[in-house]
Amino acid sequence: MSNRIKIEQQHFLEAWSHLQRSGSNAAGVDGVRISDVEDDPFTFIESVSNKLSNGLYVPSDVKNLYIERNGKSRVVGILTLEDRLIHLAIKDHIEPCCIHKFHPNSYAYQPGKSATKAADRIEKWVKEGYEWIGESDIRSFFDEINHEILRDRLEAFINDTHLASFIIYLFKHKNRGILQGSQFHQ
């Protein structure tokens, strides 16, 4: 597989804007933070874009952060700023191909949707006389998803075999699943 990927500049700019709005200045294994490049983000963006389009980009190792939640310890990966920018730019690039394929009553991980909007929708159904509302979740879905299946589904959604394979390549550090902390997990 060729690692050459061309992503339009507007997707990188939107990704950078998202990173700035996120409020996270965490550094990955390379130690680079948003604050380190925010004086000249265009040089940083151009450098990352050139690496991608010339096939020179290699995903970095992930900095693991262990957090305690509900009595369980779980790993959250801190990607490098470069990796986060690439993940977000690709997400911004493919989202329009995917978003219309989701059920209108699905509220997870979609732009313009939220837990608050889901609760508002449920309230509306109750007022309309519905007595039963179902919720489903697949335990450890993001931790366990098979990369072959994910690539096949991505190919069907975005109609781009090369990009689907590249997205799986971004998770080279894992045999299964999508790292919590990745922009594709959101």
Side-chain angles (χ1 to χ4, degrees):
M1 174 194 87
S2 167
N3 289 339
R4 292 176 189 259
I5 298 290
K6 181 67 177 156
I7 301 293
E8 297 82 9
Q9 187 75 3
Q10 80 254 19
H11 298 303
F12 280 106
L13 295 174
E14 181 58 38
W16 179 255
S17 177
H18 178 87
L19 285 171
Q20 287 185 303
R21 287 189 315 266
S22 75
S24 172
N25 198 29
V29 295
D30 63 356
V32 177
R33 301 175 182 279
I34 291 173
S35 58
D36 296 332
V37 298
E38 68 186 349
D39 287 342
D40 187 13
F42 300 108
T43 299
F44 177 71
I45 290 168
E46 185 177 335
S47 169
V48 173
S49 177
N50 286 338
K51 277 186 183 179
L52 267 183
S53 61
N54 291 317
L56 302 174
Y57 169 74
V58 176
S60 298
D61 289 335
V62 176
K63 181 178 180 180
N64 290 324
L65 177 67
Y66 296 88
I67 59 171
E68 196 73 28
R69 185 173 174 188
N70 299 329
K72 294 181 182 179
S73 181
R74 79 183 303 163
V75 178
V76 175
I78 310 287
L79 299 173
T80 63
L81 183 59
E82 177 179 79
D83 289 347
R84 283 185 280 162
L85 182 70
I86 288 171
H87 285 215
L88 278 167
I90 291 174
K91 179 181 176 261
D92 190 62
H93 173 75
I94 66 172
E95 210 163 48
C97 302
C98 302
I99 212 70
H100 69 279
K101 296 180 182 182
F102 291 109
H103 193 279
N105 293 324
S106 174
Y107 284 83
Y109 307 108
Q110 295 183 52
K113 295 197 173 184
S114 65
T116 302
K117 288 186 179 181
D120 290 345
R121 182 70 173 138
I122 290 169
E123 187 176 322
K124 182 179 177 194
W125 284 329
V126 169
K127 287 178 182 175
E128 291 173 357
Y130 289 92
E131 296 179 11
W132 293 90
I133 295 171
E135 175 191 12
S136 64
D137 195 5
I138 301 172
R139 185 178 317 142
S140 300
F141 175 78
F142 288 108
D143 296 331
E144 297 295 327
I145 189 167
N146 178 290
H147 287 176
E148 297 293 320
I149 294 169
L150 178 59
R151 188 186 64 242
D152 291 347
R153 298 307 309 146
L154 274 170
E155 285 177 15
F157 263 65
I158 64 176
N159 199 27
D160 186 333
T161 302
H162 180 66
L163 185 56
S165 293
F166 184 79
I167 291 169
I168 299 305
Y169 169 69
L170 294 175
F171 302 109
K172 72 177 184 72
H173 52 274
K174 289 186 64 111
N175 293 327
R176 300 178 69 80
I178 297 173
L179 181 70
Q180 266 201 287
S182 162
Q183 308 311 314
F184 291 108
H185 186 265
Q186 299 178 354

